[in-house]
CSV table of all heavy atoms in Angstrom, one decimal:
chain,number,residue,atom,x,y,z
A,1,MET,N,0.8,-1.2,0.0
A,1,MET,CA,0.0,0.0,0.0
A,1,MET,C,0.9,1.3,0.0
A,1,MET,O,2.0,1.2,0.4
A,1,MET,CB,-0.8,0.0,1.3
A,1,MET,CG,-2.2,-0.6,1.3
A,1,MET,SD,-3.2,-0.6,-0.2
A,1,MET,CE,-4.6,0.3,0.3
A,2,LEU,N,0.3,2.3,-0.4
A,2,LEU,CA,1.0,3.6,-0.5
A,2,LEU,C,1.0,4.3,0.8
A,2,LEU,O,0.0,4.2,1.6
A,2,LEU,CB,0.4,4.5,-1.6
A,2,LEU,CG,0.3,3.9,-3.0
A,2,LEU,CD1,-0.5,4.8,-3.8
A,2,LEU,CD2,1.7,3.8,-3.5
A,3,SER,N,2.0,5.0,1.2
A,3,SER,CA,2.0,5.8,2.4
A,3,SER,C,1.4,7.1,2.1
A,3,SER,O,1.6,7.7,1.1
A,3,SER,CB,3.4,6.0,2.9
A,3,SER,OG,4.2,6.8,2.1
A,4,ARG,N,0.6,7.6,3.0
A,4,ARG,CA,-0.1,8.9,2.8
A,4,ARG,C,0.9,10.1,3.0
A,4,ARG,O,0.6,11.1,2.5
A,4,ARG,CB,-1.3,9.0,3.8
A,4,ARG,CG,-2.3,8.0,3.4
A,4,ARG,CD,-3.6,8.3,4.3
A,4,ARG,NE,-4.6,7.4,3.9
A,4,ARG,CZ,-5.6,7.7,3.1
A,4,ARG,NH1,-5.7,8.9,2.6
A,4,ARG,NH2,-6.5,6.7,2.8
A,5,GLY,N,2.0,9.9,3.7
A,5,GLY,CA,2.9,11.0,4.0
A,5,GLY,C,3.5,11.6,2.7
A,5,GLY,O,3.5,12.8,2.4
A,6,LYS,N,4.0,10.7,1.8
A,6,LYS,CA,4.6,11.2,0.6
A,6,LYS,C,3.5,11.6,-0.4
A,6,LYS,O,3.8,12.4,-1.3
A,6,LYS,CB,5.4,10.0,0.0
A,6,LYS,CG,6.8,9.9,0.6
A,6,LYS,CD,7.6,8.9,-0.2
A,6,LYS,CE,9.0,8.9,0.2
A,6,LYS,NZ,9.8,8.0,-0.5
A,7,ALA,N,2.4,11.0,-0.4
A,7,ALA,CA,1.3,11.2,-1.4
A,7,ALA,C,0.9,12.7,-1.4
A,7,ALA,O,0.4,13.2,-2.3
A,7,ALA,CB,0.2,10.3,-1.2
A,8,CYS,N,1.0,13.4,-0.3
A,8,CYS,CA,0.6,14.7,-0.1
A,8,CYS,C,1.4,15.7,-1.1
A,8,CYS,O,0.8,16.6,-1.6
A,8,CYS,CB,0.8,15.2,1.3
A,8,CYS,SG,-0.4,14.4,2.4
A,9,SER,N,2.7,15.4,-1.2
A,9,SER,CA,3.5,16.3,-2.1
A,9,SER,C,3.6,15.8,-3.5
A,9,SER,O,4.2,16.5,-4.4
A,9,SER,CB,4.8,16.5,-1.5
A,9,SER,OG,5.5,15.3,-1.4
A,10,MET,N,3.2,14.6,-3.8
A,10,MET,CA,3.3,14.0,-5.1
A,10,MET,C,1.9,13.6,-5.6
A,10,MET,O,1.0,13.3,-4.8
A,10,MET,CB,4.1,12.7,-5.0
A,10,MET,CG,5.5,13.0,-4.6
A,10,MET,SD,6.5,11.4,-4.2
A,10,MET,CE,6.5,10.7,-5.8
A,11,THR,N,1.7,13.6,-6.9
A,11,THR,CA,0.4,13.1,-7.4
A,11,THR,C,0.4,11.6,-7.2
A,11,THR,O,1.4,10.9,-6.9
A,11,THR,CB,0.3,13.4,-8.9
A,11,THR,OG1,1.3,12.6,-9.6
A,11,THR,CG2,0.5,14.8,-9.2
A,12,LEU,N,-0.8,11.0,-7.3
A,12,LEU,CA,-1.0,9.6,-7.1
A,12,LEU,C,-0.2,8.8,-8.1
A,12,LEU,O,0.5,7.8,-7.8
A,12,LEU,CB,-2.5,9.2,-7.3
A,12,LEU,CG,-2.9,7.8,-6.9
A,12,LEU,CD1,-2.4,7.4,-5.6
A,12,LEU,CD2,-4.4,7.6,-7.1
A,13,THR,N,-0.1,9.3,-9.4
A,13,THR,CA,0.7,8.6,-10.4
A,13,THR,C,2.1,8.7,-10.0
A,13,THR,O,2.8,7.7,-10.2
A,13,THR,CB,0.4,9.3,-11.8
A,13,THR,OG1,-1.0,9.1,-12.1
A,13,THR,CG2,1.3,8.7,-12.8
A,14,GLU,N,2.6,9.8,-9.6
A,14,GLU,CA,4.0,9.9,-9.2
A,14,GLU,C,4.4,9.0,-8.0
A,14,GLU,O,5.5,8.4,-8.0
A,14,GLU,CB,4.4,11.4,-8.8
A,14,GLU,CG,4.4,12.3,-10.0
A,14,GLU,CD,4.4,13.8,-9.6
A,14,GLU,OE1,4.0,14.1,-8.4
A,14,GLU,OE2,4.9,14.6,-10.4
A,15,THR,N,3.5,8.9,-7.1
A,15,THR,CA,3.7,8.0,-5.9
A,15,THR,C,3.7,6.6,-6.4
A,15,THR,O,4.6,5.8,-5.9
A,15,THR,CB,2.5,8.2,-4.9
A,15,THR,OG1,2.5,9.6,-4.5
A,15,THR,CG2,2.8,7.4,-3.7
A,16,VAL,N,2.8,6.1,-7.2
A,16,VAL,CA,2.8,4.8,-7.7
A,16,VAL,C,4.1,4.5,-8.6
A,16,VAL,O,4.8,3.5,-8.4
A,16,VAL,CB,1.6,4.5,-8.6
A,16,VAL,CG1,1.7,3.1,-9.3
A,16,VAL,CG2,0.3,4.5,-7.7
A,17,GLN,N,4.5,5.5,-9.4
A,17,GLN,CA,5.7,5.4,-10.2
A,17,GLN,C,6.9,5.2,-9.3
A,17,GLN,O,7.7,4.3,-9.6
A,17,GLN,CB,5.8,6.7,-11.1
A,17,GLN,CG,7.0,6.7,-11.9
A,17,GLN,CD,7.1,8.0,-12.7
A,17,GLN,OE1,6.3,8.9,-12.6
A,17,GLN,NE2,8.2,8.1,-13.4
A,18,ALA,N,7.0,6.0,-8.3
A,18,ALA,CA,8.2,5.9,-7.4
A,18,ALA,C,8.2,4.5,-6.7
A,18,ALA,O,9.2,3.9,-6.5
A,18,ALA,CB,8.1,7.0,-6.4
A,19,SER,N,7.0,4.0,-6.3
A,19,SER,CA,6.9,2.7,-5.6
A,19,SER,C,7.3,1.6,-6.5
A,19,SER,O,8.1,0.7,-6.1
A,19,SER,CB,5.5,2.5,-5.0
A,19,SER,OG,5.2,3.5,-4.1
A,20,ILE,N,6.8,1.6,-7.7
A,20,ILE,CA,7.1,0.6,-8.7
A,20,ILE,C,8.6,0.6,-9.0
A,20,ILE,O,9.3,-0.4,-9.0
A,20,ILE,CB,6.3,0.6,-9.9
A,20,ILE,CG1,4.8,0.4,-9.6
A,20,ILE,CG2,6.8,-0.3,-11.0
A,20,ILE,CD1,3.8,0.6,-10.7
A,21,ARG,N,9.2,1.8,-9.2
A,21,ARG,CA,10.6,2.0,-9.5
A,21,ARG,C,11.4,1.4,-8.4
A,21,ARG,O,12.4,0.7,-8.6
A,21,ARG,CB,10.9,3.4,-9.8
A,21,ARG,CG,12.4,3.6,-10.1
A,21,ARG,CD,12.9,5.1,-10.1
A,21,ARG,NE,12.1,5.9,-11.0
A,21,ARG,CZ,11.3,6.9,-10.6
A,21,ARG,NH1,11.0,7.0,-9.3
A,21,ARG,NH2,10.6,7.6,-11.5
A,22,ALA,N,11.1,1.8,-7.2
A,22,ALA,CA,11.8,1.3,-6.0
A,22,ALA,C,11.8,-0.3,-5.9
A,22,ALA,O,12.8,-0.9,-5.6
A,22,ALA,CB,11.3,1.9,-4.7
A,23,ASP,N,10.6,-0.8,-6.2
A,23,ASP,CA,10.5,-2.3,-6.1
A,23,ASP,C,11.3,-3.0,-7.2
A,23,ASP,O,11.8,-4.1,-7.0
A,23,ASP,CB,9.0,-2.7,-6.2
A,23,ASP,CG,8.3,-2.5,-4.8
A,23,ASP,OD1,8.9,-2.1,-3.8
A,23,ASP,OD2,7.0,-2.6,-4.8
A,24,ILE,N,11.4,-2.4,-8.3
A,24,ILE,CA,12.2,-2.9,-9.4
A,24,ILE,C,13.7,-2.9,-9.0
A,24,ILE,O,14.4,-3.9,-9.1
A,24,ILE,CB,11.9,-2.2,-10.7
A,24,ILE,CG1,10.5,-2.6,-11.3
A,24,ILE,CG2,13.0,-2.6,-11.8
A,24,ILE,CD1,10.1,-1.8,-12.4
A,25,ILE,N,14.1,-1.7,-8.6
A,25,ILE,CA,15.5,-1.5,-8.2
A,25,ILE,C,15.9,-2.4,-7.0
A,25,ILE,O,17.0,-3.0,-7.0
A,25,ILE,CB,15.8,0.0,-7.9
A,25,ILE,CG1,15.7,0.8,-9.2
A,25,ILE,CG2,17.1,0.2,-7.2
A,25,ILE,CD1,15.7,2.3,-9.0
A,26,GLU,N,15.0,-2.6,-6.1
A,26,GLU,CA,15.3,-3.5,-4.9
A,26,GLU,C,15.1,-4.9,-5.2
A,26,GLU,O,15.4,-5.8,-4.3
A,26,GLU,CB,14.4,-3.0,-3.7
A,26,GLU,CG,14.7,-1.6,-3.2
A,26,GLU,CD,13.6,-1.1,-2.2
A,26,GLU,OE1,12.7,-1.9,-1.8
A,26,GLU,OE2,13.7,0.0,-1.9
A,27,GLY,N,14.7,-5.3,-6.4
A,27,GLY,CA,14.5,-6.7,-6.8
A,27,GLY,C,13.2,-7.3,-6.3
A,27,GLY,O,13.1,-8.5,-6.5
A,28,LYS,N,12.3,-6.5,-5.8
A,28,LYS,CA,11.0,-7.1,-5.4
A,28,LYS,C,10.2,-7.4,-6.6
A,28,LYS,O,9.3,-8.3,-6.6
A,28,LYS,CB,10.3,-6.1,-4.5
A,28,LYS,CG,10.9,-5.9,-3.2
A,28,LYS,CD,10.2,-4.8,-2.4
A,28,LYS,CE,11.0,-4.6,-1.1
A,28,LYS,NZ,10.4,-3.4,-0.4
A,29,LEU,N,10.4,-6.8,-7.7
A,29,LEU,CA,9.8,-7.1,-9.0
A,29,LEU,C,11.0,-7.5,-9.9
A,29,LEU,O,11.9,-6.7,-10.2
A,29,LEU,CB,9.1,-5.9,-9.6
A,29,LEU,CG,7.9,-5.4,-8.8
A,29,LEU,CD1,7.3,-4.1,-9.4
A,29,LEU,CD2,6.7,-6.5,-8.9
A,30,GLY,N,11.0,-8.7,-10.4
A,30,GLY,CA,12.2,-9.2,-11.1
A,30,GLY,C,12.2,-8.9,-12.6
A,30,GLY,O,11.2,-8.6,-13.2
A,31,PRO,N,13.4,-9.1,-13.2
A,31,PRO,CA,13.6,-8.9,-14.6
A,31,PRO,C,12.7,-9.8,-15.4
A,31,PRO,O,12.6,-11.0,-15.1
A,31,PRO,CB,15.0,-9.2,-14.9
A,31,PRO,CG,15.7,-9.2,-13.5
A,31,PRO,CD,14.6,-9.5,-12.5
A,32,GLY,N,12.0,-9.3,-16.4
A,32,GLY,CA,11.1,-10.1,-17.2
A,32,GLY,C,9.8,-10.4,-16.6
A,32,GLY,O,8.9,-11.1,-17.2
A,33,GLU,N,9.6,-10.0,-15.3
A,33,GLU,CA,8.3,-10.3,-14.6
A,33,GLU,C,7.2,-9.5,-15.3
A,33,GLU,O,7.4,-8.3,-15.6
A,33,GLU,CB,8.4,-10.0,-13.1
A,33,GLU,CG,7.2,-10.3,-12.3
A,33,GLU,CD,7.4,-10.0,-10.8
A,33,GLU,OE1,8.6,-10.0,-10.4
A,33,GLU,OE2,6.4,-9.9,-10.2
A,34,ARG,N,6.1,-10.2,-15.5
A,34,ARG,CA,4.9,-9.5,-16.1
A,34,ARG,C,4.3,-8.6,-15.0
A,34,ARG,O,4.0,-9.0,-13.9
A,34,ARG,CB,3.9,-10.5,-16.6
A,34,ARG,CG,4.5,-11.3,-17.7
A,34,ARG,CD,3.6,-11.9,-18.6
A,34,ARG,NE,2.8,-10.8,-19.3
A,34,ARG,CZ,2.5,-10.7,-20.5
A,34,ARG,NH1,2.9,-11.7,-21.3
A,34,ARG,NH2,1.8,-9.7,-21.0
A,35,LEU,N,4.1,-7.3,-15.4
A,35,LEU,CA,3.4,-6.4,-14.5
A,35,LEU,C,2.0,-6.3,-14.9
A,35,LEU,O,1.6,-5.5,-15.7
A,35,LEU,CB,4.1,-5.0,-14.6
A,35,LEU,CG,5.6,-5.1,-14.2
A,35,LEU,CD1,6.2,-3.7,-14.5
A,35,LEU,CD2,5.9,-5.5,-12.8
A,36,ARG,N,1.1,-7.1,-14.2
A,36,ARG,CA,-0.3,-7.1,-14.5
A,36,ARG,C,-1.0,-6.0,-13.7
A,36,ARG,O,-0.8,-5.9,-12.5
A,36,ARG,CB,-0.8,-8.5,-14.2
A,36,ARG,CG,-0.3,-9.5,-15.1
A,36,ARG,CD,-0.9,-10.9,-14.9
A,36,ARG,NE,-0.6,-11.8,-15.9
A,36,ARG,CZ,0.4,-12.6,-16.0
A,36,ARG,NH1,1.4,-12.5,-15.0
A,36,ARG,NH2,0.6,-13.4,-17.0
A,37,ILE,N,-1.9,-5.3,-14.4
A,37,ILE,CA,-2.6,-4.2,-13.7
A,37,ILE,C,-3.3,-4.6,-12.5
A,37,ILE,O,-3.3,-3.9,-11.4
A,37,ILE,CB,-3.5,-3.5,-14.7
A,37,ILE,CG1,-2.7,-2.9,-15.9
A,37,ILE,CG2,-4.3,-2.4,-14.1
A,37,ILE,CD1,-1.8,-1.8,-15.7
A,38,ASP,N,-4.1,-5.7,-12.6
A,38,ASP,CA,-4.9,-6.2,-11.4
A,38,ASP,C,-4.0,-6.5,-10.2
A,38,ASP,O,-4.3,-6.2,-9.1
A,38,ASP,CB,-5.7,-7.4,-11.8
A,38,ASP,CG,-6.8,-7.1,-12.7
A,38,ASP,OD1,-7.3,-5.9,-12.7
A,38,ASP,OD2,-7.3,-8.0,-13.5
A,39,GLU,N,-2.8,-7.1,-10.5
A,39,GLU,CA,-1.9,-7.4,-9.3
A,39,GLU,C,-1.3,-6.2,-8.8
A,39,GLU,O,-1.1,-6.0,-7.5
A,39,GLU,CB,-0.8,-8.4,-9.8
A,39,GLU,CG,-1.4,-9.7,-10.2
A,39,GLU,CD,-0.3,-10.6,-10.8
A,39,GLU,OE1,0.8,-10.2,-10.9
A,39,GLU,OE2,-0.7,-11.7,-11.3
A,40,LEU,N,-1.0,-5.2,-9.7
A,40,LEU,CA,-0.4,-3.9,-9.2
A,40,LEU,C,-1.5,-3.1,-8.4
A,40,LEU,O,-1.1,-2.5,-7.4
A,40,LEU,CB,0.1,-3.1,-10.4
A,40,LEU,CG,1.3,-3.8,-11.1
A,40,LEU,CD1,1.7,-3.0,-12.3
A,40,LEU,CD2,2.5,-3.9,-10.2
A,41,LYS,N,-2.7,-3.2,-8.8
A,41,LYS,CA,-3.8,-2.5,-8.1
A,41,LYS,C,-3.9,-3.0,-6.6
A,41,LYS,O,-4.1,-2.3,-5.7
A,41,LYS,CB,-5.1,-2.7,-8.8
A,41,LYS,CG,-5.4,-1.8,-9.9
A,41,LYS,CD,-6.6,-2.0,-10.8
A,41,LYS,CE,-7.8,-2.6,-10.0
A,41,LYS,NZ,-9.0,-2.8,-10.9
A,42,GLU,N,-3.8,-4.4,-6.5
A,42,GLU,CA,-3.8,-5.0,-5.2
A,42,GLU,C,-2.7,-4.5,-4.3
A,42,GLU,O,-2.8,-4.3,-3.1
A,42,GLU,CB,-3.9,-6.5,-5.3
A,42,GLU,CG,-5.2,-7.0,-5.8
A,42,GLU,CD,-5.1,-8.5,-5.9
A,42,GLU,OE1,-4.4,-9.2,-5.1
A,42,GLU,OE2,-5.9,-9.1,-6.7
A,43,LYS,N,-1.5,-4.4,-4.9
A,43,LYS,CA,-0.3,-4.1,-4.2
A,43,LYS,C,-0.2,-2.6,-3.8
A,43,LYS,O,0.2,-2.3,-2.7
A,43,LYS,CB,1.0,-4.6,-5.0
A,43,LYS,CG,2.3,-4.4,-4.3
A,43,LYS,CD,3.4,-5.0,-5.0
A,43,LYS,CE,4.7,-4.8,-4.1
A,43,LYS,NZ,5.8,-5.6,-4.6
A,44,TYR,N,-0.4,-1.8,-4.8
A,44,TYR,CA,-0.2,-0.3,-4.6
A,44,TYR,C,-1.5,0.5,-4.3
A,44,TYR,O,-1.3,1.6,-3.9
A,44,TYR,CB,0.5,0.3,-5.9
A,44,TYR,CG,1.8,-0.4,-6.1
A,44,TYR,CD1,2.0,-1.3,-7.1
A,44,TYR,CD2,2.9,-0.2,-5.3
A,44,TYR,CE1,3.2,-2.0,-7.4
A,44,TYR,CE2,4.1,-0.8,-5.5
A,44,TYR,CZ,4.2,-1.7,-6.5
A,44,TYR,OH,5.4,-2.3,-6.8
A,45,GLY,N,-2.6,-0.1,-4.5
A,45,GLY,CA,-3.9,0.5,-4.0
A,45,GLY,C,-4.7,1.3,-5.0
A,45,GLY,O,-5.9,1.1,-5.0
A,46,PRO,N,-4.2,2.1,-5.9
A,46,PRO,CA,-5.1,3.0,-6.7
A,46,PRO,C,-5.8,2.2,-7.8
A,46,PRO,O,-5.5,1.0,-8.0
A,46,PRO,CB,-4.2,4.1,-7.2
A,46,PRO,CG,-2.9,3.4,-7.3
A,46,PRO,CD,-2.8,2.5,-6.1
A,47,SER,N,-6.6,2.9,-8.6
A,47,SER,CA,-7.3,2.3,-9.7
A,47,SER,C,-6.3,2.1,-10.8
A,47,SER,O,-5.1,2.5,-10.7
A,47,SER,CB,-8.4,3.2,-10.2
A,47,SER,OG,-7.8,4.4,-10.7
A,48,ALA,N,-6.7,1.5,-11.9
A,48,ALA,CA,-5.9,1.1,-13.0
A,48,ALA,C,-5.3,2.4,-13.7
A,48,ALA,O,-4.1,2.3,-14.2
A,48,ALA,CB,-6.7,0.3,-14.0
A,49,THR,N,-6.0,3.5,-13.8
A,49,THR,CA,-5.5,4.6,-14.5
A,49,THR,C,-4.2,5.2,-14.0
A,49,THR,O,-3.2,5.3,-14.9
A,49,THR,CB,-6.6,5.7,-14.6
A,49,THR,OG1,-7.8,5.2,-15.2
A,49,THR,CG2,-6.1,6.9,-15.4
A,50,PRO,N,-4.0,5.5,-12.7
A,50,PRO,CA,-2.7,6.0,-12.3
A,50,PRO,C,-1.6,4.9,-12.5
A,50,PRO,O,-0.4,5.2,-12.7
A,50,PRO,CB,-2.9,6.3,-10.9
A,50,PRO,CG,-4.3,6.1,-10.5
A,50,PRO,CD,-5.0,5.5,-11.7
A,51,ILE,N,-1.9,3.6,-12.4
A,51,ILE,CA,-0.9,2.6,-12.6
A,51,ILE,C,-0.5,2.5,-14.0
A,51,ILE,O,0.7,2.5,-14.3
A,51,ILE,CB,-1.5,1.2,-12.1
A,51,ILE,CG1,-1.6,1.2,-10.5
A,51,ILE,CG2,-0.6,0.1,-12.5
A,51,ILE,CD1,-2.3,0.0,-10.0
A,52,ARG,N,-1.4,2.6,-14.9
A,52,ARG,CA,-1.1,2.6,-16.4
A,52,ARG,C,-0.2,3.8,-16.7
A,52,ARG,O,0.8,3.7,-17.4
A,52,ARG,CB,-2.3,2.6,-17.2
A,52,ARG,CG,-3.0,1.3,-17.3
A,52,ARG,CD,-4.1,1.4,-18.4
A,52,ARG,NE,-4.9,0.2,-18.3
A,52,ARG,CZ,-6.1,0.1,-17.8
A,52,ARG,NH1,-6.7,1.2,-17.3
A,52,ARG,NH2,-6.8,-1.0,-17.7
A,53,GLU,N,-0.5,5.0,-16.2
A,53,GLU,CA,0.3,6.2,-16.4
A,53,GLU,C,1.7,6.0,-15.8
A,53,GLU,O,2.7,6.4,-16.4
A,53,GLU,CB,-0.4,7.4,-15.8
A,53,GLU,CG,0.3,8.7,-16.0
A,53,GLU,CD,0.5,9.1,-17.4
A,53,GLU,OE1,-0.3,8.7,-18.3
A,53,GLU,OE2,1.5,9.8,-17.7
A,54,ALA,N,1.7,5.5,-14.6
A,54,ALA,CA,3.1,5.2,-14.0
A,54,ALA,C,3.9,4.3,-14.8
A,54,ALA,O,5.1,4.5,-15.0
A,54,ALA,CB,2.9,4.7,-12.6
A,55,LEU,N,3.3,3.2,-15.3
A,55,LEU,CA,4.0,2.3,-16.2
A,55,LEU,C,4.5,2.9,-17.4
A,55,LEU,O,5.6,2.7,-17.9
A,55,LEU,CB,3.2,1.0,-16.4
A,55,LEU,CG,2.9,0.1,-15.3
A,55,LEU,CD1,1.9,-0.9,-15.7
A,55,LEU,CD2,4.2,-0.5,-14.7
A,56,THR,N,3.7,3.8,-18.0
A,56,THR,CA,4.0,4.5,-19.2
A,56,THR,C,5.3,5.4,-19.0
A,56,THR,O,6.2,5.4,-19.8
A,56,THR,CB,2.9,5.3,-19.8
A,56,THR,OG1,1.8,4.5,-20.1
A,56,THR,CG2,3.2,6.1,-21.0
A,57,ARG,N,5.2,6.1,-17.8
A,57,ARG,CA,6.4,6.9,-17.5
A,57,ARG,C,7.6,6.1,-17.2
A,57,ARG,O,8.7,6.5,-17.6
A,57,ARG,CB,6.1,7.7,-16.3
A,57,ARG,CG,5.0,8.8,-16.5
A,57,ARG,CD,4.7,9.5,-15.2
A,57,ARG,NE,3.6,10.5,-15.5
A,57,ARG,CZ,3.2,11.4,-14.5
A,57,ARG,NH1,3.9,11.4,-13.4
A,57,ARG,NH2,2.3,12.3,-14.8
A,58,LEU,N,7.5,4.9,-16.6
A,58,LEU,CA,8.6,4.1,-16.4
A,58,LEU,C,9.2,3.5,-17.7
A,58,LEU,O,10.4,3.3,-17.8
A,58,LEU,CB,8.3,3.0,-15.4
A,58,LEU,CG,8.0,3.5,-13.9
A,58,LEU,CD1,7.3,2.4,-13.1
A,58,LEU,CD2,9.3,3.9,-13.3
A,59,VAL,N,8.3,3.3,-18.6
A,59,VAL,CA,8.8,2.8,-20.0
A,59,VAL,C,9.7,3.9,-20.5
A,59,VAL,O,10.8,3.7,-21.1
A,59,VAL,CB,7.6,2.5,-20.9
A,59,VAL,CG1,8.1,2.4,-22.3
A,59,VAL,CG2,7.0,1.2,-20.5
A,60,GLY,N,9.3,5.2,-20.4
A,60,GLY,CA,10.0,6.3,-20.9
A,60,GLY,C,11.4,6.5,-20.2
A,60,GLY,O,12.3,7.0,-20.8
A,61,GLU,N,11.5,6.0,-19.0
A,61,GLU,CA,12.7,6.0,-18.3
A,61,GLU,C,13.6,4.7,-18.5
A,61,GLU,O,14.6,4.5,-17.9
A,61,GLU,CB,12.5,6.1,-16.8
A,61,GLU,CG,11.8,7.3,-16.3
A,61,GLU,CD,11.5,7.3,-14.8
A,61,GLU,OE1,12.2,6.5,-14.1
A,61,GLU,OE2,10.6,8.0,-14.4
A,62,SER,N,13.0,3.8,-19.3
A,62,SER,CA,13.7,2.5,-19.6
A,62,SER,C,13.8,1.6,-18.4
A,62,SER,O,14.7,0.8,-18.3
A,62,SER,CB,15.0,2.7,-20.3
A,62,SER,OG,14.9,3.4,-21.5
A,63,ILE,N,12.9,1.8,-17.4
A,63,ILE,CA,12.9,1.0,-16.2
A,63,ILE,C,12.0,-0.2,-16.5
A,63,ILE,O,12.3,-1.3,-16.0
A,63,ILE,CB,12.3,1.8,-15.0
A,63,ILE,CG1,13.1,3.0,-14.7
A,63,ILE,CG2,12.1,0.9,-13.8
A,63,ILE,CD1,14.3,2.8,-13.9
A,64,VAL,N,10.9,0.0,-17.3
A,64,VAL,CA,10.0,-1.1,-17.6
A,64,VAL,C,10.2,-1.4,-19.1
A,64,VAL,O,10.3,-0.5,-19.9
A,64,VAL,CB,8.6,-0.7,-17.2
A,64,VAL,CG1,7.6,-1.7,-17.7
A,64,VAL,CG2,8.4,-0.5,-15.8
């Protein structure tokens, strides 16, 4: 789940993006692992729209 402390200064998409990025860097999400929207919704909390946007941004950063 997302922490409410950081979410205040960041948009929901930015918060999800940072959380997914951190989980990838820390190895919690492995190389080649499929990132399914439904599973990410359960883990990070918000609806599919901010998750899709976060994934799109992470693709732009070559993280995903």
